[in-house]
Structures are given as C-alpha cells and as structure tokens.
C-alpha cells in the first residue's frame, strides 16, 4: 500500500521556500512605499540646496555692486583693462586767429621774432604762448567732448579754475580786433567773478547796467546770464561728440585759468582738467589809462587810451601788422 506523502521532499528536507527575485540591478527590492519616501527626500534636499546656492549667488552679486548687473559697466571694465583710452576725450580749437595778444611787461622780442610779426608767422609758432601772452578781452574756444565708454557720461559743471590774477598786461600789444560778427556762443565765463562759473549767453538790452554794457561792447552785443547748468543738461554717449562754444571775458584783471569739467559715469564723480597745450589759458583787458564813452548808437563813442611798452597794429588794408609810433597813448575804442 502506498503510504501518505509526508511534508518532506525527497531529499528529506522541509517545504521549499520561495526565494526573493533579484531586481534588474541585482539588489533586492525595497518594501512597498519605501521608494516613494526616498524620492521625496531627494527632492526635498535638492530644493534646499538650490535655495542655498541662489541665496549665496544673490549675496555675491549685491556685494559686488550694480556694476556686475549692468552689462555696459562690464563692457567698460573690459575697455579699461585692455585699452589705454580716456573716458572723456576732448579737443580745443580757438575760434579766432589769435592775432590780438598782449605780453607781460618786461618781455622783449628778439629781432627774429619782430621780423615774423608782419606776416603773422610769430602767432602760428607758439612762441608767444610760451612767453606768457594773453588774449585781449575775449577768448572764444570750441571745446569738443567725445564719450569713450558704453555708459552715458553726465556733465554736471564746466568752470574756469583760476590759476592767477594780475594787473592788465602792459608789455607788447598786438592789436587786431575782430571784423564783423563773431561766433554765436551758448556759454560764457565772466572772469571778473570771484568764482566764475559757466553762464548762458543773453543779448544786451538798453537799461541792463554798466557791466552788461561793457560786456556787450566786447562780445558783439552779448552778456552773461543765468548759470548754464541750472537750466541745461549735458549727456555724452559713446562715440558721440558735443561741442561747447565758450567765451571767456575779462574786463578788470588779467586772468590765467584752466577749464575743469565735472562729470559722472556709473554713479562715480570724476573731473577732467583742460589747458592750453601745457599752459593755462590767459585773458587780459587792455591796460586803459583813459576810459572812452564805450558803445553807442551806430558804433558812436569817444576813444579810450591804453599804455604799453610796444604796440603792433593791424594795417588798414589788413595786409599785416605795423608798429605804432606812440605806444604810451594808444587809442582803442572797443575796450577802453
């Protein structure tokens, strides 16, 4: 009779257990729900890490300042590093022939220099500037400013910086007043002021007063008005030029000065000093010993008298200059 099968297998061992099937990675699978918990933990850690990185990066940007955010500022940093280029480039051009000049007392021209006067060669040589010559009464300049940065440049002030004040020069005078209307300007320096600043140019009107009348007689009817930068703004962009036509007028003393331009770029205040090719600009009134009646209707008025060591005057036919016989009593209508 066949006996009953026991729970043992043929090998005599107990019942066979189902083995856990390996995963595709060879690692036993986790209990149900454990995978979701692990994924959630990873996402949580990733979110915290990302937040920390963003916070640190933001702090670094804020610490570095606005320049790191401003692309123009970053481009300018590169230009500063690889180019020897000023932020603000300038050129200066006299708007007259600079034939009306006066030398300080005591300067004696050499024979060679005197021979260069009639043909105007001496004025082009630069020797008079080196000797300290001043323009008589009014100096008119075109100052051209060019931006050399990606960021805008904001000009806040243009003003003469006085180097020296002296009595009117009384050495050698070269007298060749401007013929006809002068250049129309929009900015004027009144060098008689204690601290001169740029002023707008206004037209003279009867009743404006003695000072305005004197200025009008020297500038073809113009006078200094309100402060220029109180009513005007000046923004200079990259590779663009702005020309300033400036009249500098002195009626009391000889004044030596440079021109200072205050400007801002990227929130920083800076300054540029402009001179006359290594020398200060100089303006001197005539050395008047007798005042005339000045400007009147149709140019009428009595002549004033100025005194100098030597005087050279433009010939009537404008062909050159000739020496004046009595430099101690030189009649000069426009200034005296």
């Amino acid at each position: 009779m066949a006996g009953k099968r026991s729970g043992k297998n043929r090998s005599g061992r107990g019942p066979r257990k189902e083995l856990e099937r390996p995963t595709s990675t060879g690692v036993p699978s986790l209990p149900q729900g454990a995978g979701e918990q692990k994924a959630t933990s990873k996402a949580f850690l990733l979110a915290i890490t990302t937040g920390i990185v963003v916070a640190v990066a933001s702090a670094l940007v804020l610490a570095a300042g606005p320049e790191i955010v401003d692309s123009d500022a970053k481009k300018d940093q590169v230009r500063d590093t690889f180019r020897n280029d000023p932020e603000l480039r300038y050129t200066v051009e006299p708007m007259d022939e600079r034939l009306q000049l006066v030398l300080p007392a005591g300067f004696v021209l050499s024979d060679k220099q005197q021979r260069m006067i009639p043909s105007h060669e001496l004025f082009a040589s630069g020797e008079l500037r080196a000797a300290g010559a001043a323009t008589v009464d009014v100096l008119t300049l075109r100052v051209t400013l060019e931006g050399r940065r990606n960021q805008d440049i904001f000009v806040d002030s243009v003003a003469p910086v006085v180097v020296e004040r002296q009595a009117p020069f009384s050495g050698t005078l070269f007298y060749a007043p401007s013929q006809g209307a002068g250049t129309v300007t929009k900015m004027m320096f009144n060098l008689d002021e204690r601290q001169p600043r740029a002023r707008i140019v206004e037209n003279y009107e009867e009743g404006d007063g003695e000072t305005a009348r004197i200025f009008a007689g020297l500038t073809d009817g113009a006078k200094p008005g309100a402060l220029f930068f109180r009513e005007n703004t000046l923004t200079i962009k990259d590779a663009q030029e702005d020309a300033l036509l400036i009249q500098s007028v002195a009626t009391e003393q000889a004044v030596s000065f440079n021109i200072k331009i205050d400007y801002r770029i990227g929130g920083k205040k800076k300054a540029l000093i402009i001179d006359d090719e290594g020398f200060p600009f100089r303006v001197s009134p005539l050395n008047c010993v007798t005042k005339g009646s000045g400007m009147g209707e149709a140019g009428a008025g009595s002549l004033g008298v100025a005194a100098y060591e030597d005087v050279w005057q433009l010939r009537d036919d404008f062909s050159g200059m000739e020496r004046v016989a009595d430099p101690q009593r030189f009649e000069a209508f426009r200034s005296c």
Side-chain angles (χ1 to χ4, degrees):
M1 180 180 290
K4 293 181 180 179
R5 289 186 179 181
S6 64
K8 295 181 180 181
N9 57 23
R10 293 181 181 180
S11 61
R13 298 174 182 174
R16 179 181 299 175
K17 295 182 179 179
E18 275 309 311
L19 296 177
E20 294 178 351
R21 294 181 180 179
T23 63
S24 60
T25 59
V27 180
S29 61
L30 294 173
Q32 186 175 6
E36 288 82 351
Q37 293 177 0
K38 187 172 182 181
T40 303
S41 298
K42 285 183 177 180
F44 179 72
L45 289 174
L46 179 61
I48 292 209
T49 304
T50 303
I52 292 173
V53 171
V54 170
V56 171
S58 300
L60 289 174
V61 169
L62 292 174
E67 291 85 356
I68 200 167
V69 182
D70 188 345
S71 60
D72 285 340
K74 289 193 290 185
K75 293 176 183 177
D76 286 343
Q77 289 176 357
V78 175
R79 292 175 76 164
D80 288 340
T81 302
F82 295 100
R83 297 184 184 179
N84 184 20
D85 197 15
E87 295 171 336
L88 200 55
R89 181 184 293 172
Y90 71 89
T91 57
V92 179
E93 178 187 0
M95 297 307 293
D96 51 51
E97 297 181 76
R98 281 193 164 181
L99 300 180
Q100 184 150 295
L101 299 171
V102 59
L103 287 163
F107 185 86
V108 179
L109 294 171
S110 67
D111 292 340
K112 178 183 177 181
Q113 289 173 325
Q114 291 186 33
R115 288 194 298 270
M116 295 167 67
I117 293 173
S119 63
H120 300 169
E121 290 179 72
L122 182 61
F123 303 95
S125 69
E127 294 181 32
L128 295 178
R129 184 193 299 120
T135 301
V136 177
D137 296 329
V138 181
L139 173 63
T140 304
L141 299 172
R142 181 196 297 271
V143 178
T144 302
L145 303 176
E146 179 188 358
R148 302 295 298 168
R149 290 297 181 271
N150 294 81
Q151 300 173 92
D152 289 347
I153 296 176
F154 304 96
V155 176
D156 296 320
S157 172
V158 178
V161 178
V162 175
V163 176
E164 187 178 11
R165 292 184 184 273
Q166 302 170 262
F169 289 180
S170 59
T172 299
L173 172 68
F174 304 96
Y175 192 70
S178 174
Q179 303 298 317
T183 303
V184 177
T185 60
K186 295 184 178 181
M187 186 180 294
M188 183 179 287
F189 295 158
N190 177 4
L191 298 177
D192 296 340
E193 292 182 320
R194 184 182 182 89
Q195 291 183 323
R197 290 184 286 177
R199 295 187 174 275
I200 62 173
V201 178
E202 297 179 350
N203 293 325
Y204 170 78
E205 296 180 1
E206 291 294 336
D208 278 341
E210 180 65 12
T211 299
R213 185 189 66 79
I214 294 173
F215 271 78
L218 300 174
T219 60
D220 296 316
K223 67 175 183 178
L227 293 176
F228 185 90
F229 286 96
R230 183 176 292 172
E231 302 185 8
N232 297 274
T233 58
L234 181 59
T235 302
I236 303 175
K237 297 184 177 295
D238 187 27
Q240 293 186 0
E241 295 183 347
D242 277 277
L244 306 176
L245 294 177
I246 307 172
Q247 278 187 323
S248 302
V249 185
T251 70
E252 297 176 357
Q253 293 179 300
V255 181
S256 302
F257 65 96
N258 296 319
I259 298 174
K260 181 183 180 185
I261 297 179
D262 292 309
Y263 65 94
R264 288 172 290 119
I265 179 171
K268 297 179 181 179
K269 293 184 177 181
K270 300 190 178 183
L272 172 68
I273 301 295
I274 298 176
D275 60 24
D276 190 10
E277 298 184 12
F279 301 96
F281 299 103
R282 302 182 184 96
V283 182
S284 175
L286 288 181
N287 184 41
C288 299
V289 293
T290 302
K291 290 286 186 179
S293 62
M295 186 179 69
E297 294 183 4
S302 62
L303 296 179
V305 176
Y308 289 93
E309 295 173 352
D310 199 4
V311 175
W312 292 76
Q313 181 174 247
L314 190 66
R315 294 191 182 104
D316 292 338
D317 61 0
F318 309 110
S319 60
M321 286 192 165
E322 60 186 2
R323 211 169 205 156
V324 172
D326 186 2
Q328 290 295 311
R329 294 197 56 81
F330 176 66
E331 293 183 336
F333 168 73
R334 279 179 61 94
S335 301
C336 292

